Amino acid sequence: MSKTFQAQLLTPEGSLFEGEVESVQVPGKSGNFLMLFNHAPIVSSLGVGGIIIKKPDNSETVYAVSGGFVEMNDNKLTMLAEKAEEASEIDVEEAKKLREEAKERLKDKNLDREKAEKDLAIADNKLKIAK
């Protein structure tokens, strides 16, 4: 029998996931990392990317996330995301529209380039996760 641990994914809007899991992969700022049962205690920031939650029945749930924090301690994982969206709920047309808007803003030298680049990365991530 596999070893499981508790995980929860929270956003400012509320809880998106809570339950027993076999593993969780998260997008750290320096790259993806995987957490399993008895993972060492860790606190890390989340980047733009995908959270992959593997459940005891071998099913997976994937979320597009745009930053936040993650903490693992005593087989309890808490993910605090700025924004997160389950792959099946991503509006692909809206993500394409946001991507094009961000690309247009990048052409304007007077606008906040850093914000436009992050918005472009978020839109690209949503499109990638939605596939």
Side-chain angles (χ1 to χ4, degrees):
M1 187 169 147
S2 63
K3 296 185 178 184
T4 61
F5 58 95
Q6 278 295 120
Q8 62 179 348
L9 173 57
L10 306 169
T11 68
E13 289 78 36
S15 178
L16 294 183
F17 177 86
E18 191 165 339
E20 290 286 317
V21 299
E22 279 191 358
S23 67
V24 177
Q25 179 178 306
V26 297
K29 290 272 186 177
S30 300
N32 292 342
F33 61 96
L34 182 70
M35 286 169 286
L36 301 166
F37 180 77
N38 278 345
H39 192 285
I42 186 172
V43 174
S44 179
S45 56
L46 293 173
V48 174
I51 292 175
I52 303 170
I53 298 173
K54 184 176 179 187
K55 300 173 195 161
D57 64 3
N58 280 334
S59 66
E60 288 185 348
T61 304
V62 180
Y63 295 88
V65 66
S66 61
F69 295 91
V70 60
E71 178 184 17
M72 176 74 157
N73 195 13
D74 291 332
N75 288 312
K76 291 186 180 99
L77 173 65
T78 302
M79 297 167 282
L80 304 172
E82 292 171 10
K83 291 183 182 178
E85 195 170 358
E86 189 172 346
S88 63
E89 296 179 2
I90 293 172
D91 182 336
V92 173
E93 292 307 312
E94 178 68 17
K96 286 179 181 176
K97 180 181 164 199
L98 293 173
R99 183 179 192 278
E100 291 308 312
E101 289 172 359
K103 284 170 80 175
E104 283 301 312
R105 289 196 336 260
L106 282 172
K107 294 177 184 175
D108 186 342
K109 305 235 187 287
N110 297 320
L111 292 178
D112 183 351
R113 184 166 187 83
E114 189 174 320
K115 169 122 175 61
E117 286 173 348
K118 183 169 183 183
D119 289 347
L120 179 58
I122 290 168
D124 283 343
N125 183 57
K126 283 185 174 192
L127 291 170
K128 177 182 165 190
I129 298 293
K131 289 186 179 183

